[in-house]
Amino acid sequence: MEKKDVIAKLKTLSVGYKAELITFFEDYVMYTDSLCSRMSDGMARTVEQFAVYDRCTTEEAYMVRELCKWLQDAGFEKFLSAYADMDEKHEKKIRGFIEAYSYILSLAKDNVMQLVDQLFFIPGQFEKDLEAVTEAARSRILEAHISFEDKLTCSEYKFFNNKESFNRIPCFN
């Protein structure tokens, strides 16, 4: 799946907060694309290009490539599955999500590993926050949920998804 598929679906939504969703998703992609360009010295500037980039020489570059592969395989699908049942009753939750995670991304933008971690975390959290998950997964959400306030009070950065990103196998399934 590609980012254009997600944007096309967003444009078909008939909700009052559609513009904010599109902007948030485009910003999410912008952060990802900037990592791709940075890790490839401008040779692979998009998720699609970096997913097949074979000149990764650092752990950071490898993690960015894994992020790109995962986004195409499952991450963008997380966004789409959440959009499927979206309506006006979700407005408050979505606006809060956008505000919180836009802020978190802006804080993490200068640290590659923190940014990668957030970029792995957001699609699954977006899906979970909109309750677009099965009942079996609900218990995992409750166990793993980390609030926005917890993030702001950390004295040093703690990865949200150690298990997912550092085993090199994202598992937001």
Side-chain angles (χ1 to χ4, degrees):
M1 174 160 303
E2 296 184 16
K3 57 190 170 201
K4 67 180 180 169
D5 300 323
V6 179
I7 291 173
K9 174 65 177 174
L10 281 171
K11 290 180 179 179
T12 67
L13 290 175
S14 57
V15 294
Y17 49 88
K18 175 172 59 174
E20 291 93 335
L21 274 171
I22 291 171
T23 300
F24 177 75
F25 184 75
E26 287 174 340
D27 288 348
Y28 177 91
V29 169
M30 181 268 313
Y31 280 111
T32 307
D33 287 348
S34 72
L35 278 176
C36 294
S37 184
R38 199 161 72 187
M39 294 294 107
S40 69
D41 292 326
M43 300 298 289
R45 295 178 183 198
T46 65
V47 169
E48 295 79 13
Q49 291 171 347
F50 205 83
V52 296
Y53 184 71
D54 62 354
R55 296 186 180 151
C56 296
T57 58
T58 66
E59 184 68 16
E60 290 173 336
Y62 178 80
M63 290 302 299
V64 172
R65 189 176 73 204
E66 290 303 306
L67 170 66
C68 293
K69 288 179 184 179
W70 177 76
L71 283 171
Q72 289 183 304
D73 293 342
F76 289 147
E77 187 64 40
K78 299 284 183 194
F79 283 111
L80 280 179
S81 69
Y83 299 150
D85 297 319
M86 199 174 286
D87 60 30
E88 292 299 331
K89 71 180 180 185
H90 294 108
E91 181 174 7
K92 184 176 179 182
K93 188 176 264 192
I94 290 171
R95 289 184 190 272
F97 182 93
I98 289 170
E99 183 179 338
Y101 286 99
S102 293
Y103 180 67
I104 289 172
L105 285 172
S106 73
L107 293 176
K109 70 181 177 187
D110 295 327
N111 183 302
V112 172
M113 294 306 271
Q114 288 178 10
L115 186 54
V116 166
D117 185 50
Q118 294 302 328
L119 293 170
F120 266 125
F121 185 75
I122 287 172
Q125 191 62 34
F126 185 70
E127 181 184 54
K128 292 171 187 175
D129 280 0
L130 293 175
E131 300 174 351
V133 294
T134 64
E135 193 60 42
R138 289 188 193 277
S139 61
R140 288 188 304 182
I141 293 170
L142 293 173
E143 292 170 15
H145 186 71
I146 297 173
S147 72
F148 183 59
E149 292 81 20
D150 290 341
K151 167 68 179 108
L152 292 177
T153 60
C154 290
S155 58
E156 65 180 69
Y157 187 80
K158 296 180 178 149
F159 286 100
F160 281 126
N161 56 332
N162 283 326
K163 186 172 89 177
E164 289 83 51
S165 59
F166 290 101
N167 279 341
R168 298 182 181 152
I169 304 172
C171 59
F172 293 120
N173 299 326

